[in-house]
């Protein structure tokens, strides 16, 4: 009885909590009134133009129909007319819509040509879809690329209703894409496994990420802020859990962020040369596990979409075969080759974690140098 | 054994061995209704999970199995076989033929369907689960990354294709060869016309689907790389092949629905169909256009801009013949003497909601705007307006319209009207808010969603439960009519109904038109 009442209360909660429900496409203008992208505004205007044309035609058609339903009913004693063709009318309602369509095609064509104008980009970012995360790689002119993965940051507890859902539930990531304001950014979009689609509604960019293809898209964001989107092509079990988060910042802030990223990459490389303690490896390994392994292998290594890790022959057997699975993946399955996704330190940490967590307790410690020597064969 | 069978055999063998178009039509209709309830049950699971944000009832992987099976069962199990059943019952009676041209093949094309769907449903119990890659089964999610049950899915699709092709050849052969003397093409009822054109579409595109799934099979088991980029293949090729089938498939579903509506609206307006000839030409034009618009499902795959423009212009053109049809139906109603029995209510519901689906279709055809609509709930709303309010509403109208003819018994009119209003309201409460969440940015095929979509999703789920429940009322009404409905005394049943089937007794004898009827000289209707 109590349970039923609690259930009813939670059932009604969203109706109260979200007073504002967005019913239309993003206008391309921020809440403060600043234009986010010119293209977004143009697409919104086009969408509304077609919508209103449809509304006017709809009022005409439904109006005639409703009047007819009201006036031409047998209960009013009307005698049915027997006319059944009229060449003039029939030609008219074939020709007139054709001209209306031409009126729609003209602005649609010009907007489409702009969407496809990828020239003169000031910077390029390679976006790669993985099951189920995005990789962003800033393609630097002097070859010093910065790359990182962007994972869902919403906790499993929120998803499984044991914790209160945050404001940006399912739309938040651990490391967002950062781009400078008022800069023409070209996205090169591809995928590593299945087809994904990279979409941020407010900046009006959506392009499929297809393995073996590199698609192009671009944006020039005029208003600083945080813009959120999601993967929009079914890509497997956790398709609903790979958001996109874009931070648009001033040029100076962007430069600082980029410098910090490059510094962190250098620090990671330095870390790979040192010996880490078991605790350090386990702590780091847990973070890596939660971001990269948990979705398939479960919060307690119990398995799910992937095999169980707790008590598994691989995680408790020979180190080389364990590293092989993590670094090279397993062909023909959803197990990816993480050697290309994680740094050597992270591979070492997560391997250590898997061999000692969930009751595996092998006592093995794997260092980055072990991963390097494994990779070198 | 005499020269004439005057009645059906008794027992199970009647249904197993039957070559009678009425028996086969009946089996198709009951089978499709069973599939409609099965696909509906999958939809209820989907809507129950989406009732609130967060994962409550099912796991994400199982959710994807539900969306996949819901689509496959509804398209291939419910809608397509239901219209084949309708064709079986009606085409011979409408053109004055004694039966279908190829009766043994007719039996076979039905009886391979139940095993195919049994096999498809059994994938739910297999290790790795049922197919979970969407009813559009894009590679490589459906090949390299698919569960092992995909092989059974491929086999099921092959069988469905064989069934559809056999059914279509039968319809083409029947319409071309078995019309009563004097039943010229331009005198055929529009339902026969739309099915003739549909049958040609089926014969043209089902082999393409068979090719696509065969290539998948080769990729999965025989080491080819048609759709695998790593082996030099092309994942986009899959989409081109799929939609070259898939877009005509959409019209395969909707053209017979147009035919049904073109029979019912004149009957209850007591006035001939307006623009019969232009209806035929518009149907043919839609069928032709359906072959050159497929890539409008793929605006975001990165086609060259010239390709985008071609497919956008061609898609927009579909609005012209579709508009002609809507204008013709409204003009048929104009200055008629209308009554609003259940079939007419469902037909008017079709007309209103299908037109709304047509408007959103026009919006979706605009390529640059589609970059914002693509793969969102706006698309889900659009195709349910044309599939459910289009195909399913017209099918429901057809059942109410011809049931008294088939069984000789009348359904309960009040219950029929209640069924209509509950369906109409339930349908709109389900799918209208999906336009809003789609535009606001909710992707389709996700088991969980951001909080700003919560209210409309809850509304959608409530509507879906109402719509789902109302179908049980329909089932009850049909069974009650068959078992204990009031006997129909009049051959015509509806005073405005026109056509050869209404010259037969209600119910019609097991064999009809063994001698061809005389077609009177009268204007086409």
């Amino acid at each position: 009885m109590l349970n039923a009442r609690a259930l009813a209360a939670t059932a009604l909660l969203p109706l109260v909590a979200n007073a504002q429900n967005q019913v239309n496409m993003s206008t391309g203008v921020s809440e403060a009134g600043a234009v986010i992208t010119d293209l977004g505004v143009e697409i919104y205007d086009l969408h509304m133009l077609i919508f209103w044309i449809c509304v006017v035609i709809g009022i005409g058609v439904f109006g005639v129909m409703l009047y007819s339903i009201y006036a031409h009913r047998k209960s009013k004693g009307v005698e049915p007319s027997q006319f059944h063709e009229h060449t003039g009318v029939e030609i008219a309602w074939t020709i007139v819509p054709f001209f209306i369509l031409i009126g729609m095609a003209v602005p649609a064509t010009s907007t489409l040509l702009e969407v496809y104008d990828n020239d003169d980009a000031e910077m390029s970012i390679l976006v790669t879809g993985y099951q189920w995360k995005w990789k962003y790689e800033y393609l630097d002119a002097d070859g010093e690329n910065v790359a990182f993965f962007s994972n869902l940051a919403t906790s499993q507890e929120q998803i499984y209703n044991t914790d209160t859902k945050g404001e940006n539930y399912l739309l938040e990531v651990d490391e967002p894409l950062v781009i400078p304001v008022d800069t023409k950014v070209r996205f090169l979009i591809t995928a590593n496994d299945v087809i994904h689609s990279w979409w941020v509604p407010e900046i009006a960019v959506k392009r499929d990420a297809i393995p073996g293809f590199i698609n192009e898209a671009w944006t020039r964001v005029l208003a600083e802020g945080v813009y959120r989107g999601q993967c929009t092509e079914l890509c497997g079990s956790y398709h609903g859990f790979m958001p996109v988060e874009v931070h648009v910042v001033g040029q100076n802030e962007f430069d600082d962020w980029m410098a910090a990223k490059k510094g962190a990459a250098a620090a990671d490389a330095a870390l790979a040369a040192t010996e880490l303690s078991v605790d350090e490896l386990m702590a780091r390994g847990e973070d890596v596990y939660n971001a990269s392994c948990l979705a398939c292998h479960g919060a307690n290594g119990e398995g799910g979409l992937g095999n169980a890790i707790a008590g598994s022959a691989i995680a408790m057997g020979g180190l080389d075969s364990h590293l092989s699975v993590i670094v090279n993946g397993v062909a023909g399955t959803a197990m990816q080759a993480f050697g290309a996704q994680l740094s050597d330190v992270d591979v070492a940490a997560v391997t250590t974690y898997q061999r000692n967590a969930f009751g595996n307790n092998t006592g093995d410690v794997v260092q980055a140098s072990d991963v390097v020597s494994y990779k070198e064969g | 054994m005499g020269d004439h069978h005057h009645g059906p055999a008794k027992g199970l063998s009647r249904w197993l061995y039957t070559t009678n178009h009425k028996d086969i039509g009946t089996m198709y209709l009951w089978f499709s209704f069973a599939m409609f309830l099965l696909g509906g049950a999958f939809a209820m699971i989907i809507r129950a999970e989406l009732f609130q944000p967060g994962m409550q009832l099912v796991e994400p992987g199982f959710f994807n199995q539900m969306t996949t099976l819901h689509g496959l069962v509804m398209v291939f199990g419910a809608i397509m076989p239901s219209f084949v059943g309708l064709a079986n019952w009606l085409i011979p009676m409408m053109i004055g033929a004694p039966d279908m041209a190829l009766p043994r093949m007719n039996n076979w094309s039905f009886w391979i369907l139940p095993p195919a769907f049994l096999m498809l449903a059994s994938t739910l119990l297999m290790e790795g689960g049922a197919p979970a890659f969407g009813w559009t089964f894009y590679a490589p999610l459906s090949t390299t990354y698919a569960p092992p049950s995909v092989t059974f899915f491929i086999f099921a699709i092959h069988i469905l294709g064989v069934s559809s092709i056999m059914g279509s050849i039968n319809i083409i052969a029947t319409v071309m060869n078995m019309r009563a003397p004097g039943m010229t093409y331009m005198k055929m009822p529009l339902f026969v016309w739309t099915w003739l054109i549909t049958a040609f579409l089926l014969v043209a595109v089902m082999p393409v689907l068979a090719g696509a799934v065969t290539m998948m099979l080769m990729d999965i088991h025989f080491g080819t790389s048609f759709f695998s980029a790593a082996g030099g293949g092309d994942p986009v090729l899959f989409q081109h092949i799929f939609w070259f089938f898939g877009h005509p498939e959409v019209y395969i579903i909707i053209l017979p629905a147009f035919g049904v509506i073109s029979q019912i609206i004149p009957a209850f307006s007591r006035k001939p169909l307006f623009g019969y000839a232009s209806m035929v030409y518009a149907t043919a034009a839609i069928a032709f256009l359906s072959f050159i618009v497929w890539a409008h499902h793929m605006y975001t795959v990165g086609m060259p801009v010239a390709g985008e423009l071609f497919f956008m212009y061609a898609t927009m053109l579909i609005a012209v013949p579709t508009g002609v049809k809507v204008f013709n139906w409204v003009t048929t109603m104009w200055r008629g003497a209308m009554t609003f029995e259940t079939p007419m209510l469902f037909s008017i519901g079709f007309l209103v909601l299908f037109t709304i689906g047509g408007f959103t279709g026009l919006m979706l055809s605009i390529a640059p705007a589609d970059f914002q609509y693509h793969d969102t709930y706006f698309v889900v709303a659009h195709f349910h307006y044309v599939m459910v309010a289009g195909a399913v509403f017209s099918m429901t109208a057809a059942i109410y319209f011809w049931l008294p003819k088939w069984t000789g018994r009348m359904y309960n009119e009040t219950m029929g009207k209640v069924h209509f209003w509950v369906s109409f309201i339930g349908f709109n409460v389900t799918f209208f808010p999906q336009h809003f969440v789609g535009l606001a940015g909710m992707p389709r095929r996700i088991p969980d969603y951001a909080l700003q979509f919560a209210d409309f999703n809850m509304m959608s789920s409530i509507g879906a439960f109402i719509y789902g429940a109302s179908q049980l009322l329909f089932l009850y009404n049909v069974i009650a009519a068959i078992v204990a409905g009031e006997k129909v005394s009049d051959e015509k049943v509806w005073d405005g109904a026109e056509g050869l089937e209404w010259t037969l007794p209600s119910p019609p004898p097991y064999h009809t038109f063994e001698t061809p009827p005389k077609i009177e000289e009268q204007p086409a209707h």
Side-chain angles (χ1 to χ4, degrees):
Chain A
M1 192 64 215
L2 192 68
N3 275 347
R5 200 178 301 156
L7 203 66
T10 50
L12 290 172
L13 205 60
L15 291 170
V16 188
N18 285 303
Q20 281 217 320
N21 285 299
Q22 188 185 335
V23 296
N24 202 353
M25 185 190 286
S26 163
T27 56
V29 177
S30 72
E31 274 175 43
V35 170
I36 300 170
T37 64
D38 289 330
L39 199 54
V41 174
E42 212 172 299
I43 289 176
Y44 173 78
D45 288 344
L46 181 64
H47 154 73
M48 290 310 287
L49 171 74
I50 312 291
F51 171 73
W52 283 118
I53 292 174
C54 289
V55 168
V56 170
I57 297 170
I59 289 173
V61 172
F62 295 147
V64 170
M65 196 179 84
L66 285 175
Y67 175 78
S68 185
I69 288 173
Y70 163 76
H72 306 139
R73 43 173 73 217
K74 196 184 177 200
S75 56
K76 292 201 166 187
V78 290
E79 276 300 310
S81 163
Q82 291 301 313
F83 72 86
H84 57 85
E85 55 192 3
H86 188 289
T87 312
V89 170
E90 290 177 65
I91 289 175
W93 68 38
T94 310
I95 301 289
V96 172
F98 187 75
F99 284 102
I100 297 175
L101 289 177
I102 291 175
M104 293 176 175
V106 170
T109 303
S110 85
T111 307
L112 187 67
L113 292 176
E114 262 181 81
V115 171
Y116 268 75
D117 177 16
N118 297 303
D119 295 341
D120 305 320
E122 292 158 76
M123 65 183 289
S124 295
I125 299 173
L126 178 65
V127 177
T128 311
Y130 285 74
Q131 281 181 323
W132 291 275
K133 54 189 161 266
W134 296 100
K135 181 188 182 188
Y136 300 116
E137 185 166 3
Y138 292 72
L139 304 177
D140 197 302
D142 49 0
E144 211 187 329
N145 294 348
V146 164
F148 57 89
F149 281 85
S150 182
N151 294 289
L152 176 72
T154 304
S155 70
Q156 294 288 306
E157 288 75 26
Q158 287 188 34
I159 293 169
Y160 285 91
N161 311 306
T162 51
D163 195 1
T164 315
K165 294 177 179 23
E167 186 191 352
N168 297 312
Y169 177 70
L170 295 187
L171 297 177
E172 53 203 349
V173 298
D174 54 358
E175 285 207 66
L177 177 73
V178 180
I179 57 171
V181 74
D182 199 11
T183 304
K184 185 162 181 177
V185 180
R186 184 173 64 143
F187 298 109
L188 300 167
I189 301 174
T190 185
N192 181 58
D193 34 50
V194 300
I195 300 175
H196 304 267
S197 188
W198 196 82
W199 183 34
V200 183
E202 284 171 300
I203 65 174
V205 174
K206 181 187 288 156
R207 198 67 95 248
D208 290 356
I210 303 171
F213 284 75
I214 296 178
N215 278 329
E216 277 185 301
W218 68 274
T219 190
R220 179 192 290 278
V221 186
L222 303 174
E224 292 182 24
V226 177
Y227 304 103
R228 297 171 195 277
Q230 284 177 275
C231 175
T232 47
E233 182 64 59
L234 178 62
C235 57
S237 291
Y238 296 91
H239 161 55
F241 304 92
M242 52 181 291
V244 177
E245 184 176 335
V246 182
H247 289 202
V248 179
V249 298
Q251 186 66 47
N252 290 339
E253 200 181 325
F254 177 77
D255 292 341
D256 292 347
W257 174 84
M258 185 54 97
K261 270 281 169 206
K262 287 182 176 170
D268 248 22
L271 206 57
T274 60
E275 291 260 304
L276 293 179
S277 73
V278 177
D279 289 347
E280 283 173 309
L281 285 166
M282 287 296 282
R284 194 180 179 102
E286 185 173 2
D287 289 344
V288 175
Y289 182 88
N290 289 344
S292 297
C293 317
L294 181 143
C296 298
H297 295 287
N300 299 307
E302 73 275 21
L305 199 64
N307 294 332
I309 287 175
S312 94
I314 292 169
M316 299 179 72
L319 179 61
D320 272 9
S321 58
H322 191 186
L323 278 174
S324 165
V325 170
I326 294 176
V327 172
N328 304 320
V330 180
T333 72
M335 181 64 199
Q336 302 164 20
F338 282 92
Q341 300 184 28
L342 302 173
S343 70
D344 293 339
V345 183
D346 284 343
V347 172
V350 80
T351 310
T352 307
Y353 181 72
Q354 291 183 1
R355 296 181 80 79
N356 293 290
F358 321 128
N360 285 354
N361 302 330
T362 58
D364 295 346
V365 176
V366 185
Q367 295 290 350
S369 53
D370 299 328
V371 178
V372 173
S373 60
Y374 169 78
K375 280 183 175 173
E376 286 167 354
Chain B
M1 288 258 274
D3 288 345
H4 278 81
H5 293 286
H6 288 288
K10 296 278 181 272
L12 189 66
S13 61
R14 165 182 178 180
W15 301 104
L16 270 177
Y17 303 148
T18 184
T19 54
N20 180 290
H21 74 101
K22 300 183 184 75
D23 282 354
I24 292 171
T26 302
M27 289 195 295
Y28 262 112
L29 290 170
W30 277 114
F31 174 75
S32 63
F33 194 80
M35 289 298 110
F36 182 57
L37 293 184
L38 179 67
F42 296 148
M44 294 300 108
I45 294 172
I46 293 169
R47 283 317 321 174
E49 176 55 52
L50 292 174
F51 188 73
Q52 275 187 300
M55 301 303 304
Q56 284 92 10
L57 300 173
V58 297
E59 287 301 306
F62 187 76
F63 181 90
N64 289 345
Q65 297 174 29
M66 288 295 102
T67 54
T68 305
L69 289 178
H70 167 69
L72 290 170
V73 167
M74 285 303 198
V75 168
F76 294 107
I79 298 179
M80 288 173 70
S82 71
F83 281 107
V84 179
L86 208 55
N88 257 296
W89 252 107
L90 293 174
I91 288 177
M93 299 201 319
M94 283 178 161
I95 63 173
D99 205 311
M100 298 294 279
L102 308 162
R104 285 191 180 80
M105 196 166 84
N106 205 11
N107 171 294
W108 190 228
S109 64
F110 171 75
W111 273 113
I112 60 175
L113 278 184
F117 277 94
L118 199 64
M119 185 159 65
L120 188 63
S122 72
T123 59
L124 272 170
L125 308 173
M126 290 178 191
E127 195 167 330
F133 30 66
W135 87 276
T136 52
F137 50 102
Y138 281 9
L141 188 63
S142 62
T143 53
T144 316
Y145 294 83
S149 62
V150 65
T151 307
F152 292 88
F153 155 83
I154 289 170
F155 192 29
I157 292 287
H158 270 305
I159 299 175
L160 304 183
V162 170
S163 165
S164 286
I165 290 170
M166 290 198 295
S168 308
I169 290 173
N170 209 346
I171 286 168
I172 293 170
T174 306
V175 173
M176 288 191 151
N177 296 303
M178 301 193 51
R179 283 168 289 121
M183 174 66 79
T184 58
Y185 278 110
M186 290 311 272
K187 276 188 190 161
M188 294 194 311
L190 215 73
F191 178 74
V192 181
W193 253 117
T194 54
W195 241 119
L196 179 63
I197 291 167
T198 301
F200 276 104
L201 286 182
L202 272 167
V203 171
V205 301
M206 289 313 284
V208 178
L209 179 68
V213 293
T214 306
M215 288 155 95
M216 282 169 61
L217 189 74
M218 302 302 271
D219 272 11
I220 293 167
H221 292 296
F222 302 106
T224 58
S225 298
F226 288 109
F227 306 130
S228 159
D234 181 349
V236 179
L237 173 68
F238 175 86
Q239 297 183 28
H240 281 293
I241 298 172
F242 179 83
W243 286 113
F244 187 81
F245 148 79
H247 201 78
E249 166 70 16
V250 177
Y251 295 124
I252 286 165
I253 285 172
I254 204 65
L255 292 183
F258 289 168
V260 166
I261 300 302
S262 304
Q263 304 299 131
I264 296 177
I265 287 184
F268 293 96
S269 304
R270 292 165 182 79
K271 184 164 161 283
L273 180 68
F274 185 84
Y276 171 88
S278 70
M279 282 298 217
V280 174
Y281 302 141
T283 309
I286 291 172
F288 169 74
L289 287 172
S290 77
F291 284 111
I292 56 165
V293 297
W294 75 88
H296 69 217
H297 298 269
M298 304 162 52
Y299 281 145
T300 60
V301 298
M303 262 184 294
V305 70
E308 301 261 316
L309 287 173
F310 170 79
F311 285 108
M312 176 168 82
Y313 298 150
T315 305
M316 292 170 78
L317 275 182
I318 297 175
V320 175
T322 315
V324 165
K325 286 191 160 286
V326 171
F327 299 143
N328 279 340
W329 287 319
V330 172
T331 313
T332 303
M333 293 161 72
W334 186 255
R335 288 178 50 208
M338 279 184 273
T339 51
F340 302 93
E341 290 87 344
T342 311
M344 183 63 162
L345 288 179
F346 271 101
S347 298
I348 293 171
F350 164 96
L351 194 46
V352 173
L353 300 178
F354 177 80
T355 304
I356 292 174
F359 287 143
T360 53
L362 184 58
M363 294 171 77
L364 283 158
S365 76
I366 307 293
D370 181 72
F371 280 98
Q372 294 283 47
Y373 308 135
H374 180 80
D375 264 348
T376 68
Y377 260 87
F378 190 76
V379 178
V380 176
H382 159 72
F383 69 70
H384 282 94
Y385 266 78
V386 290
M387 293 284 113
V388 180
V392 178
F393 271 36
S394 81
M395 191 64 217
T396 314
I399 298 292
Y400 282 117
F401 187 55
W402 280 292
L403 188 72
K405 169 53 64 190
W406 297 335
T407 63
R409 289 172 185 273
M410 197 64 188
Y411 62 87
N412 182 321
E413 187 64 56
T414 310
M415 208 187 294
K417 285 181 175 163
V418 170
H419 174 215
F420 168 72
W421 283 110
V422 178
S423 287
F424 185 82
I425 292 166
F427 172 84
N428 282 293
V429 172
T430 310
F431 293 107
F432 208 78
Q434 295 185 359
H435 292 112
F436 301 148
V437 288
L439 289 173
M442 180 169 162
R444 63 190 284 206
R445 293 168 166 168
I446 57 174
D448 192 7
Y449 47 82
L451 300 180
Q452 67 262 35
F453 308 128
D455 292 359
F456 287 133
N457 268 287
M458 185 178 286
M459 207 186 282
S460 253
S461 292
I462 292 169
F465 301 145
I466 296 172
Y467 181 77
S470 75
Q471 304 316 311
L472 300 176
L473 192 65
F474 179 38
L475 178 64
Y476 175 81
N477 202 353
V478 169
I479 292 175
I482 293 170
V483 174
E486 195 183 323
K487 286 223 162 71
V488 176
S489 54
D490 187 8
E491 280 157 10
K492 272 190 92 166
V493 185
W494 314 106
D495 62 353
E498 296 285 344
L500 285 178
E501 76 271 30
W502 304 106
T503 64
L504 294 167
S506 314
Y510 198 55
H511 296 287
T512 44
F513 293 131
E514 284 169 301
T515 45
K518 213 167 128 62
I519 312 296
E520 292 160 38
E521 275 304 320
Q522 59 175 12
H525 43 74

